[in-house]
Amino acid sequence: MKWLCSISLLASLTLNPALADNTQLPSPNLPRDAYVNALLQKMTLQEKIGQLRLISVGPENPKSAIREMIKNGQVGGIFNTVTRQDIRAMQDQAMQLPRLKIPLFFAYDIIHGQRTIFPISLGLASSWNLDTVATSGRIAAYEGSEDGLNMTWAPMVDISRDPRWGRVSEGLGEDTFLTSQIGRTLVRSIQGAHPGDRHALMTTVKHFALYGAVEGGRDYNSVDMSPQRMFDDYMPPYKAALDAGSGGVMVSLNTINGVPATANAWLLKDILRKQWHFSGITISDHGAIKELIKHGVASDPEQAVKIALNAGINMSMSDEYYDRYLPGLVKRGEVKEHEIDQAVRHVLNVKYDMGLFRDPYNHLGPVGSDPQDTNAESRLHRDAARQVARQTLVLLKNRLQTLPLKKQGTIAVVGPLADSQRDIIGSWSAAGRPKQSVTLLQGMRNAVGNKATILYAKGANITNHQDLVAFLNSYDHAVDVDPRTPQVMIDEAVSAARKADVIVAAVGESQGMANEASSRTHLTIPDSQRQLIDALKATGKPLVLVLMNGRPLALVRENQQADAMLETWFSGTEGGNAIADVLFGDYNPSGKLPISFPRSVGQIPIYYNHLPTGRPYLAEKPDKYTSHYYDEANGPLFPFGFGLSYTTFSVSDVALSNPTLKPDGSMTVSVTLTNTGHRDGGTVAQLYIHDITASVSRPVKQLKGFQPVFLKAGESKRITFTLDANALKFYNQQMIYAAEPGDFDVMVGLDSARVKTARFTLL
Ligand code: BGC
């Protein structure tokens, strides 16, 4: 096969006159390997090094500096530029180079939408609905590619069991199975049939690896983990998303058992390339190569470059080091040119896959086709955003059916997040514009029209702490502070509440509190807002808390005070309309938590799929010498998979097709689900397993299947899952991945805490 390839390459080299010319690109009709080989042969070392550089447009690199770099062939890809005009100007410049004219690619952090902003990733995961997730992915890719982009730094599939970490907002929760399914769906929906298609983007799975397990939840901190936990729990989502065909992977900033991922040949070569057969491109995270010095694994910049390149970092993000030091390192033989060739090959491969060699303007079109107004309303996908957003809202509490609200009487809408256009679109809101987002207040006004009176008062600032405000406003002006005293603001809100039949208070975090570099040691709602809630509660009026936040919060107190609580995350451009749909019952909530909500920060890490312990605590038979806290319950306030509806559901006993499972066979697990209430509604059937006795202790529960189900009032449906031995496999002490014969519990429920169980034996 190899031999045949080289013959055809030889033939194309001699037959194609363009190839004889070392200043021109090969014929785009060549297949990828032949094309890239032919191109590599024409490139100088300097040109090769240029291809390995990814430069961000921003204050550190203004457009004029970037233009110089392009002119000098010092850049392979550009990110943080989002209009066709800007992108076209840069690509034009690459096309004017005297030699080779290798097109640039353009990337951006399109995490949850480009112009139309969808709910943050943790919210999307709360839909537990892969079709919904795919809709958001397709539209993000459509809008990104319409803006001329080729690549997105997404999906982020870092498992996290630590809500102190601000980046849980960007991830898909605590569970391996759910994150793997959603990560794979995002790759497929964003890349489409082919990443070079007109309305597709190439994806970059991040952050490889284990970034969500930073110690203490402190961003950029170290990770130390057993191999079993690594490969059973944390690695599968990366693998699933890469196996789905992602063209790129971004390497994380943390160390793994002492070695930074950016310097980790075991991670980037042995695991990623040799074991997983990943053939796309590896990209370092922002400035990560420089950071090898601070990590203490490189003594100077030159050594950092040598380590990173040799470890398997293909492209360096926002680092001038590759440009500065690789030529000398190659000259002295410390970095072999074939290692550089290997890295460049990956860059050229992805450019080929993006279709850029066929047409460097394939996501730009002709000059005259650029939109007159980049921010035009007509470029948004509002209907889809609203449909998606309402499926991501999770009803946590609904005492005495406080919700849904009636569109009549007087409603007091209060809280610092009730009318914040910036906050509702969340962090990493790409090219989304706050001005185009619908707040809760606006959404409720839209919903009631003139049928009800809505009174509004801000009631409190996000926080009264000047230091926190300064932190939140340090890179851009994200938080507006109302200069009135806290008491004046509370009084105004209370006076509105007294006139109303019901209070809807939007409380939680501002978007900047749940972002990169936004770790917290306290998970409660800030005091300014707690004081507001206390005062509202004291009015005796029904109190609905609409929570906006990017991480699980500790809500014990609020859960006692509120009559109803709706978790809305940061729900995007159409968030306000979507929340109003749920509050007024125009949509029956169906979201489920993708991550446990702790009672207190002291319980962290808290996750549903923990191991049993030798001294489990039994609430019905408490014993001092068991595994528990004496000042707090063990369990979460709201468990993984939890979410209420305006209707009720029942789950029948679990039926198995067979009490035994052969190692190469499969079985079905079924239940009947009934809507026992008076409204149509959706929920999610969740299947968990537990390996009762094995060579290593196994989690008390592990999600292995889920199905969103919609049932009309009174309707029943048989739900069937198929299970085979693959779902029962794990890494044993010798790191052998296998299922062990013996008894298993299989559980089905509508959350991870309340399940029906059956037992079977793996033969
Ligand atoms: C983040 C990445 C992001 C990159 C580019 C880094 O600081 O860790 O997630 O893709 O910046 O914006």
Side-chain angles (χ1 to χ4, degrees):
M1 190 62 191
K2 259 194 193 143
W3 187 73
L4 276 180
C5 284
S6 48
I7 295 250
S8 70
L9 173 61
L10 206 67
S12 54
L13 278 169
T14 42
L15 294 179
N16 188 338
L19 290 176
D21 181 347
N22 263 348
T23 65
Q24 282 186 43
L25 292 176
S27 155
N29 295 327
L30 288 175
R32 192 178 80 173
D33 286 354
Y35 184 93
V36 169
N37 280 330
L39 177 51
L40 264 170
Q41 284 175 24
K42 296 168 179 235
M43 293 171 74
T44 63
L45 177 63
Q46 206 55 50
E47 283 167 339
K48 290 178 187 170
I49 293 172
Q51 287 303 307
L52 303 183
R53 300 189 66 230
L54 191 54
I55 302 298
S56 158
V57 181
E60 74 282 18
N61 279 316
K63 284 181 204 157
S64 54
I66 294 196
R67 270 199 291 277
E68 275 310 295
M69 288 184 213
I70 301 174
K71 239 189 248 165
N72 299 328
Q74 288 170 302
V75 46
I78 289 180
F79 71 111
N80 282 345
T81 182
V82 288
T83 64
R84 289 232 286 256
Q85 288 83 347
D86 282 351
I87 292 176
R88 182 187 305 284
M90 293 187 202
Q91 195 68 296
D92 280 349
Q93 213 164 356
M95 292 305 105
Q96 282 153 23
L97 285 171
R99 277 174 47 79
L100 290 181
K101 307 186 199 328
I102 299 177
L104 298 161
F105 74 79
F106 296 87
Y108 196 40
D109 285 281
I110 303 179
I111 310 295
H112 52 112
Q114 164 71 349
R115 295 196 175 270
T116 309
I117 301 304
F118 289 92
I120 58 166
S121 306
L122 198 57
L124 277 176
S126 306
S127 73
W128 291 55
N129 189 319
L130 300 179
D131 293 336
T132 303
V133 167
T135 300
S136 78
R138 271 194 302 273
I139 292 175
Y142 181 91
E143 292 183 359
S145 60
E146 274 291 308
D147 278 344
L149 295 162
N150 310 104
M151 193 165 198
T152 170
W153 307 143
M156 195 274 228
V157 294
D158 302 322
I159 295 292
S160 188
R161 297 166 170 177
D162 197 330
R164 289 172 297 186
W165 192 49
R167 301 196 83 171
V168 293
S169 58
E170 289 173 61
L172 304 163
E174 74 186 32
D175 184 63
T176 311
F177 185 83
L178 183 63
T179 300
S180 300
Q181 298 279 328
I182 297 179
R184 179 186 294 141
T185 303
L186 282 170
V187 169
R188 289 190 182 144
S189 55
I190 295 172
Q191 290 199 156
H194 193 275
D197 287 350
R198 174 66 193 97
H199 287 124
L201 295 175
M202 188 174 274
T203 56
T204 315
V205 172
K206 69 188 189 184
H207 304 83
F208 189 61
L210 321 181
Y211 187 24
V214 283
E215 273 180 13
R218 206 178 71 222
D219 209 0
Y220 316 125
N221 205 1
S222 325
V223 174
D224 204 297
M225 195 182 279
S226 74
Q228 283 77 9
R229 176 162 290 186
M230 205 184 278
F231 286 95
D232 269 338
D233 298 350
Y234 282 75
M235 287 295 201
Y238 304 110
K239 175 138 192 336
L242 293 172
D243 285 350
S246 179
V249 66
M250 189 184 294
V251 179
S252 60
L253 295 162
N254 51 284
T255 51
I256 297 175
N257 299 343
V259 182
T262 309
N264 207 320
W266 167 78
L267 181 73
L268 302 181
K269 288 191 164 166
D270 297 352
I271 303 297
L272 185 66
R273 299 286 183 196
K274 288 193 198 131
Q275 284 187 29
W276 293 3
H277 306 291
F278 175 65
S279 61
I281 188 173
T282 60
I283 296 170
S284 66
D285 201 347
H286 210 282
I289 299 175
K290 288 183 180 172
E291 292 174 16
L292 294 181
I293 301 170
K294 290 194 179 144
H295 274 300
V297 299
S299 54
D300 55 40
E302 209 165 48
Q303 201 190 5
V305 168
K306 180 177 161 181
I307 291 175
L309 191 102
N310 287 338
I313 296 286
N314 302 150
M315 253 190 142
S316 82
M317 181 192 284
S318 292
D319 249 310
E320 62 279 9
Y321 282 8
Y322 265 21
D323 184 46
R324 215 178 277 166
Y325 300 105
L326 274 175
L329 283 164
V330 174
K331 209 165 166 192
R332 292 198 307 282
E334 290 186 50
V335 169
K336 302 277 176 257
E337 193 159 349
H338 75 81
E339 288 280 355
I340 305 246
D341 284 355
Q342 200 44 35
V344 177
R345 192 181 301 279
H346 289 302
V347 180
L348 300 178
N349 280 345
V350 298
K351 289 190 174 180
Y352 185 98
D353 290 345
M354 289 169 182
L356 290 169
F357 291 119
R358 281 186 179 278
D359 178 6
Y361 298 89
N362 72 344
H363 283 183
L364 291 162
V367 187
S369 66
D370 290 351
Q372 297 277 312
D373 173 9
T374 302
N375 299 313
E377 248 317 294
S378 58
R379 301 188 80 212
L380 301 186
H381 293 82
R382 286 190 181 275
D383 284 352
R386 182 167 176 171
Q387 298 290 337
V388 168
R390 52 197 209 169
Q391 295 176 55
T392 66
L393 311 179
V394 186
L395 184 63
L396 298 176
K397 179 176 182 184
N398 194 15
R399 194 177 146 263
L400 302 175
Q401 297 181 329
T402 306
L403 293 177
L405 303 176
K406 297 192 180 63
K407 292 179 185 169
Q408 64 186 45
T410 302
I411 304 169
V413 178
V414 298
L417 292 157
D419 199 28
S420 170
Q421 288 188 302
R422 172 67 196 92
D423 287 306
I424 204 160
I425 56 174
S427 62
W428 294 106
S429 46
R433 300 181 79 218
K435 280 204 169 101
Q436 289 175 314
S437 69
V438 179
T439 65
L440 172 64
L441 177 64
Q442 189 56 50
M444 292 186 70
R445 282 187 175 141
N446 295 343
V448 301
N450 51 18
K451 291 189 205 138
T453 305
I454 291 196
L455 305 174
Y456 167 70
K458 187 168 177 182
N461 281 309
I462 277 288
T463 172
N464 291 336
H465 282 276
Q466 293 314 309
D467 292 352
L468 180 53
V469 171
F471 167 80
L472 294 171
N473 284 339
S474 54
Y475 278 82
D476 55 355
H477 183 83
V479 172
D480 279 325
V481 176
D482 191 312
R484 291 175 295 167
T485 67
Q487 197 54 52
V488 168
M489 293 175 78
I490 287 178
D491 289 348
E492 185 190 37
V494 165
S495 134
R498 288 217 176 97
K499 290 182 208 131
D501 303 306
V502 59
I503 309 162
V504 174
V507 291
E509 301 182 295
S510 72
Q511 54 80 30
M513 291 170 72
N515 196 354
E516 184 178 348
S518 305
S519 299
R520 298 180 67 184
T521 59
H522 302 284
L523 292 178
T524 43
I525 290 179
D527 284 346
S528 58
Q529 299 180 57
R530 284 186 136 192
Q531 283 150 17
L532 170 66
I533 296 168
D534 290 348
L536 296 172
K537 174 73 186 162
T539 65
K541 297 286 168 90
L543 177 60
V544 178
L545 295 185
V546 170
L547 299 160
M548 298 190 188
N549 44 276
R551 52 155 65 81
L553 296 175
L555 298 166
V556 172
R557 177 160 136 183
E558 290 72 17
N559 188 39
Q560 283 159 2
Q561 294 172 309
D563 295 286
M565 289 206 293
L566 183 70
E567 177 55 73
T568 70
W569 314 108
F570 295 114
S571 47
T573 306
E574 279 289 312
N577 285 330
I579 299 170
D581 286 341
V582 167
L583 292 178
F584 291 109
D586 295 324
Y587 182 82
N588 189 350
S590 54
K592 301 279 187 180
L593 297 179
I595 189 164
S596 310
F597 271 45
R599 292 169 189 275
S600 114
V601 79
Q603 295 178 307
I604 295 169
I606 184 165
Y607 50 99
Y608 83 94
N609 48 348
H610 57 83
L611 300 188
T613 94
R615 294 185 179 194
Y617 175 81
L618 296 175
E620 57 280 15
K621 198 168 162 252
D623 178 6
K624 177 165 191 226
Y625 293 99
T626 54
S627 180
H628 68 292
Y629 301 103
Y630 70 77
D631 61 352
E632 184 56 278
N634 274 3
L637 181 63
F638 299 112
F640 174 79
F642 176 80
L644 301 169
S645 161
Y646 296 151
T647 187
T648 48
F649 298 97
S650 72
V651 183
S652 73
D653 286 342
V654 179
L656 306 179
S657 58
N658 208 311
T660 57
L661 176 64
K662 293 197 188 118
D664 56 353
S666 68
M667 67 193 293
T668 60
V669 179
S670 22
V671 294
T672 298
L673 216 65
T674 305
N675 181 340
T676 49
H678 302 293
R679 273 174 184 265
D680 303 350
T683 185
V684 180
Q686 305 165 30
L687 179 140
Y688 297 88
I689 58 129
H690 172 51
D691 189 342
I692 297 163
T693 313
S695 60
V696 296
S697 189
R698 300 298 301 144
V700 294
K701 265 178 205 138
Q702 281 182 289
L703 184 73
K704 291 293 173 180
F706 62 89
Q707 287 181 38
V709 187
F710 185 86
L711 293 171
K712 291 197 170 311
E715 190 188 346
S716 289
K717 241 185 219 166
R718 196 77 181 150
I719 308 295
T720 302
F721 296 91
T722 304
L723 202 64
D724 63 29
N726 282 320
L728 313 178
K729 288 181 179 170
F730 60 90
Y731 285 91
N732 69 12
Q733 213 181 6
Q734 288 70 40
M735 286 302 286
I736 294 167
Y737 187 63
E740 295 181 2
D743 287 348
F744 288 79
D745 278 339
V746 56
M747 296 156 266
V748 181
L750 303 180
D751 63 57
S752 64
R754 276 161 293 269
V755 291
K756 294 279 178 74
T757 307
R759 189 161 288 190
F760 68 92
T761 307
L762 175 68
L763 299 174

